[in-house]
Amino acid sequence: YSSHSDAMASSSSASPETSAARVGLLFELRSADTRQGEVVRFVGARQELGAWDSYSSGLTLRTGNSKYPCWSTLFPVWVTPTSEEAADQLLSTSITEGTEVDRVVQVEYKYVKDRRQVRDGGPSLQWEDNIANRSVAVPFEPGGIWIVSDSKFNDAREQARVSRTTLEEILARQGEFDQESRPSTQA
């Protein structure tokens, strides 16, 4: 569980004032065909998403035999609206059902296939270069955790689905991957 402790260490480093004002994001790419050795990552404009540095800061998605070609993160990435964003009105508002006004955080990102372990002479990273940067408005509910689910690598014809999730659902997702990575006990 080294990745679990890494994720917990990064999330616990925030001060109490900022941790209450964060939103957790889990990313899911429902279809990304990959070759043996390729890994799907995502990177975005925000510092928490790697500030577009896919070589050293790209965040890794996981898949498994029963999940492929779906790739997803197992731990939330915590996004904090900054004071500069509020001042620049990047923390915007949108009207949802009826007259309720919700604050949202805009998140800009792309998926990248990391091919550095593939020895075929091709590019080491394959960006989603056929589409513009992905952008999604995530409801700003401090402490809330949301799944950002995209349909297909390098295809943005379908809008990202944003849905609320719970800690129980996150643990169940992690358990599904843990079950797959355990060695079989059958002879």
Side-chain angles (χ1 to χ4, degrees), residues 98-136:
T99 60
E100 183 179 332
V101 176
D102 292 323
R103 293 189 308 161
V104 298
V105 176
Q106 283 298 133
V107 179
E108 188 179 14
Y109 62 100
K110 274 196 173 187
Y111 295 99
V112 179
K113 289 182 185 178
D114 185 337
R115 306 185 74 244
R116 289 180 277 190
Q117 300 301 315
V118 178
R119 306 281 185 229
D120 67 355
S124 59
L125 295 176
Q126 179 186 349
W127 282 81
E128 290 186 299
D129 55 1
N130 290 339
I131 62 172
N133 293 344
R134 295 177 186 265
S135 183
V136 66

Side-chain angles (χ1 to χ4, degrees), residues 19-94:
S19 63
R22 298 182 305 162
V23 176
L25 303 176
L26 291 162
F27 286 81
E28 175 180 80
L29 186 56
R30 296 188 306 275
S31 181
D33 293 327
T34 56
R35 296 177 31 203
Q36 185 70 28
E38 287 181 331
V39 176
V40 177
R41 299 182 185 278
F42 71 97
V43 66
R46 296 174 165 276
Q47 192 64 39
E48 300 96 334
L49 303 182
W52 297 117
D53 181 2
S54 60
Y55 280 97
S56 59
S57 299
L59 300 159
T60 303
L61 286 81
R62 290 192 47 193
T63 193
N65 292 334
S66 66
K67 304 289 182 204
Y68 185 82
C70 182
W71 292 76
S72 59
T73 56
L74 298 183
F75 300 98
V77 176
W78 292 96
V79 175
T80 305
T82 64
S83 57
E84 294 84 20
E85 286 177 314
D88 293 340
Q89 298 178 352
L90 290 178
L91 179 64
S92 59
T93 58
S94 66

